[in-house]
Amino acid sequence: MAGRTERLEIRISPEQKGILERAAAAMGKPLTGFALSHLLERAREIEERPRTRVLSHRDHKRFLAILGSGAAPVPALKAAARRHRGRIG
């Protein structure tokens, strides 16, 4: 791990701090170490999720209409597809 040169500051309520302090104490960890380990764990879970896009019903219908129209893809779309293939192999 690289040296610790960055700082993260958050404001929380006294109740929230109490909950975190009790949880850290129950785990036998200092508050900062407890909080950081759990923040990183959750952030890594989120980072590893597949990225998906959810379309509205209107956009979904439009997307299907475009796919079914037989229109040729525009050059920007072709370039994006090439970049994507290059990234995923």
Side-chain angles (χ1 to χ4, degrees):
M1 179 183 266
R4 293 180 179 197
T5 60
E6 299 297 319
R7 183 173 184 87
L8 174 66
E9 296 182 36
I10 60 172
R11 297 215 177 264
I12 59 176
S13 70
E15 295 82 19
Q16 291 170 325
K17 186 173 181 185
I19 292 168
L20 293 172
E21 287 172 332
R22 289 189 298 277
M27 298 298 292
K29 293 184 175 185
L31 178 56
T32 302
F34 173 81
L36 180 58
S37 68
H38 284 77
L39 282 170
L40 287 172
E41 180 181 332
R42 184 68 175 123
R44 287 184 180 117
E45 288 172 5
I46 292 168
E47 243 182 11
E48 292 171 2
R49 283 188 204 161
R51 291 192 173 105
T52 59
R53 176 77 53 169
V54 177
L55 298 176
S56 68
H57 180 68
R58 183 201 67 179
D59 290 342
H60 180 257
K61 284 175 46 179
R62 175 124 171 87
F63 179 73
L64 292 178
I66 291 168
L67 286 179
S69 72
V74 296
L77 181 58
K78 290 180 181 181
R82 279 193 301 277
R83 285 192 309 274
H84 178 71
R85 279 193 299 274
R87 289 180 184 157
I88 63 168

